[in-house]
Amino acid sequence: MGKPRMIILIRHAQSEGNKNRDIHQAVPDHRVKLTSDGWKQAEEAGLKLRSLLRPDDTLHFYTSPYRRTRETTEGILNSLTSDDPSPSPFPRQTIKVYEEPRLREQDFGNFQPCSAEMERMWQERADYGHFFYRIPNGESAADAYDRVSGFNESLWRSFGEDDFASVCVLVTHGLMTRVFLMKWYHFSVEYFEDLRNVNHCEFVVMKKNQDNGKYILQNQLRTWSELRKERMAAAAPPSPIPVRKRWGGCPDGCKHGLVNHTKQPRRQNTADLCAEDSASSAKKRNPSATLIYTPPQDTDEDDPRGRVGPPQYGLGLEAEDTPDPTPSHDSAEDYVDNRVISPNRVAILQTGRDGGGSRSGAASRNGSPEENESVTKLPASKSSMARALNWDFGGESGMGTGAMADALGDQSDADTVDGEESKDSCRLEAADKRPKGSVS
């Protein structure tokens, strides 16, 4: 007959070792049998083979001596030669079956160690390379290649026999199928590494070209590189619209929330501190006054210039309707006693170098010596301004009784100033410095 018209390679059906790898720790690899699903796969493979054959075809089977491959061959023959649902044109006695040890599985070395060690071995093999990595006490794919090379030569010689079948079926293992194709079609080692394993009972068909006698591979072999491309295409499908570069925000993803920044307290200016001190002191002096809180406005919350500082407080005193928005009061005495905060001028508790306090060192609010001499004497007791500033005009001050300081903090040129006169000058000074435009 000569060369067969078709060579078919079939991987064995599902075995117990495929379902549970730990079984190799107790059962030799060549004794592992098929599962119930494996038997069904084998019988379905027989029906598929029957559909590929012509009624006048003859068959030769070459099978690995392992139990799982022999059981797969048996399952294929059962359905192939069965008369159900119709009489089979392939009687069992016309089919020749040969056990070929050179088609056995790659030797993984007697009983296998624990799962953790086997997993480490598989990872090491993947890093080293499947073709050249030799299993401890076993063999490498290169060793299996040598076995298959001898088998291919024997098979090719048998093609010259007159009674050789028209269809040759090889029932073997996954790695041996790839090694067989590598030898037959002269695959490179790199291409062999890229090849994925064939599925259980998958058919790899080689048909003879009638013109040149060469065998053409009918299958599209699956590779790892194509699988990676498919996964990348599925994960990120190409967009027909070019993506514009994002300049604002965080183009590479915002990670600011992952950093724990310590919140620094906001710095207050001197005017805010003085305003808070004045409001607090006024509340202590006049408990009946109501503190009015101005809540922050969030209209410009995205603009740093619109962010407000600390809460602003004012005294809840009713202001008269005057052209000047400055609150007006009945008398200078009320003005001094209540120490109302003017929008244009901040009242402070202690001013100047002589008073100390929050603005120690600033210019004193007292007038010059010439201004003090021109003050009209008014009979008055200890002024409310003096009480507010807690000055002790008769105590143990180092300046002496009734001593006043000029604008630079030095003693006045006047030799002596009457105590009552200094008290009245404070009252008059406060009245003279009232906000302009208020109603008395």
Side-chain angles (χ1 to χ4, degrees):
M1 178 88 185
K3 291 182 181 179
R5 70 175 185 90
M6 188 164 50
I7 301 174
I8 302 175
L9 291 91
I10 304 176
R11 184 191 176 188
H12 64 81
Q14 184 191 60
S15 67
E16 292 181 345
N18 299 126
K19 196 171 183 179
N20 180 19
R21 290 185 177 182
D22 294 340
I23 196 174
H24 295 289
Q25 300 175 15
V27 179
D29 192 19
H30 63 277
R31 295 181 183 174
V32 176
K33 60 184 179 180
L34 294 182
T35 62
S36 57
D37 293 336
W39 280 103
K40 294 179 182 179
Q41 292 174 354
E43 293 176 356
E44 292 175 357
L47 297 177
K48 180 179 179 181
L49 179 60
R50 186 172 177 174
S51 64
L52 295 177
L53 300 176
R54 297 188 301 217
D56 59 341
D57 280 332
T58 57
L59 295 169
H60 279 180
F61 275 79
Y62 291 87
T63 180
S64 164
Y66 280 32
R67 180 174 178 176
R68 54 183 176 270
T69 52
R70 290 189 287 112
E71 290 181 349
T72 302
T73 303
E74 184 179 350
I76 293 175
L77 293 175
N78 288 339
S79 57
L80 177 63
T81 60
S82 174
D83 292 334
D84 186 22
S86 61
S88 174
F90 310 103
R92 178 68 179 84
Q93 63 273 12
T94 62
I95 300 175
K96 295 182 180 181
V97 180
Y98 302 94
E99 282 192 8
E100 179 54 63
R102 288 175 292 185
L103 292 179
R104 71 183 185 275
E105 176 66 292
Q106 177 185 3
D107 193 351
F108 291 103
N110 302 331
F111 293 105
Q112 295 183 5
C114 63
S115 300
E117 177 60 20
M118 289 302 299
E119 187 64 29
R120 185 205 63 79
M121 188 187 304
W122 301 143
Q123 183 62 45
E124 184 180 21
R125 183 179 68 165
D127 295 338
Y128 190 87
H130 287 70
F131 188 75
F132 292 110
Y133 182 82
R134 178 173 282 107
I135 305 295
N137 300 322
E139 59 181 354
S140 64
D143 298 329
Y145 180 89
D146 295 338
R147 290 194 278 108
V148 169
S149 298
F151 170 75
N152 284 9
E153 295 173 358
S154 301
L155 182 64
W156 185 265
R157 287 193 299 266
S158 63
F159 288 167
E161 299 176 0
D162 294 337
D163 60 346
F164 196 85
S166 62
V167 177
C168 178
V169 181
L170 308 179
V171 183
T172 180
H173 306 268
L175 183 134
M176 299 307 298
T177 301
R178 288 174 285 160
V179 170
F180 181 91
L181 296 175
M182 180 183 182
K183 171 61 180 176
W184 192 280
Y185 292 104
H186 306 285
F187 292 161
S188 65
V189 175
E190 289 75 16
Y191 186 66
F192 172 83
E193 295 282 353
D194 194 30
L195 287 176
R196 297 173 60 189
N197 201 4
V198 295
N199 296 322
H200 295 293
C201 287
E202 180 179 354
F203 284 37
V204 178
V205 181
M206 302 163 57
K207 282 187 177 182
K208 185 180 70 171
N209 189 339
Q210 298 298 332
D211 296 334
N212 53 19
K214 294 183 179 181
Y215 289 89
I216 308 302
L217 183 64
Q218 304 298 309
N219 299 67
Q220 180 66 37
L221 300 179
R222 297 173 298 135
T223 60
W224 293 107
S225 57
E226 293 179 353
L227 179 62
R228 286 191 294 268
K229 292 180 181 179
E230 293 176 359
R231 290 177 177 177
M232 292 177 61
S239 176
I241 302 176
V243 180
R244 296 189 61 183
K245 184 176 179 60
R246 180 179 178 183
W247 297 97
C250 300
D252 299 330
C254 183
K255 299 180 180 179
H256 294 92
L258 302 178
V259 181
N260 187 13
H261 295 285
T262 304
K263 187 176 181 181
Q264 299 293 337
R266 296 188 61 183
R267 181 179 178 182
Q268 292 177 293
N269 54 37
T270 306
D272 293 338
L273 292 174
C274 294
E276 290 183 2
D277 293 344
S278 301
S280 177
S281 300
K283 183 64 179 177
K284 291 180 180 179
R285 182 169 179 81
N286 189 3
S288 61
T290 303
L291 291 177
I292 301 175
Y293 170 65
T294 304
Q297 302 296 327
D298 57 355
T299 306
D300 297 324
E301 60 181 359
D302 294 333
D303 190 346
R305 295 169 297 179
R307 298 172 186 166
V308 297
Q312 302 296 327
Y313 292 94
L315 290 176
L317 301 179
E318 183 179 359
E320 298 181 3
D321 185 13
T322 60
D324 189 347
T326 306
S328 60
H329 306 282
D330 294 339
S331 63
E333 182 69 20
D334 294 336
Y335 171 78
V336 174
D337 290 342
N338 292 324
R339 300 197 318 281
V340 178
I341 302 172
S342 173
N344 300 325
R345 188 166 184 172
V346 180
I348 56 178
L349 291 179
Q350 298 177 354
T351 59
R353 300 178 182 175
D354 50 341
S358 60
R359 298 189 63 186
S360 177
S364 173
R365 297 178 62 180
N366 293 328
S368 63
E370 291 76 7
E371 293 175 346
N372 293 334
E373 292 178 359
S374 62
V375 175
T376 305
K377 293 183 179 181
L378 296 177
S381 60
K382 192 174 183 179
S383 66
S384 58
M385 176 64 76
R387 294 194 305 269
L389 299 179
N390 293 325
W391 289 353
D392 189 359
F393 291 94
E396 299 177 356
S397 172
M399 298 179 63
T401 303
M404 294 290 290
D406 61 7
L408 298 178
D410 300 327
Q411 186 174 356
S412 175
D413 294 336
D415 294 336
T416 59
V417 180
D418 185 69
E420 294 296 330
E421 181 179 352
S422 63
K423 299 176 183 179
D424 296 337
S425 65
C426 294
R427 181 185 300 274
L428 186 58
E429 179 185 2
D432 183 62
K433 294 182 179 181
R434 289 186 55 202
K436 304 302 182 180
S438 60
V439 181
S440 301

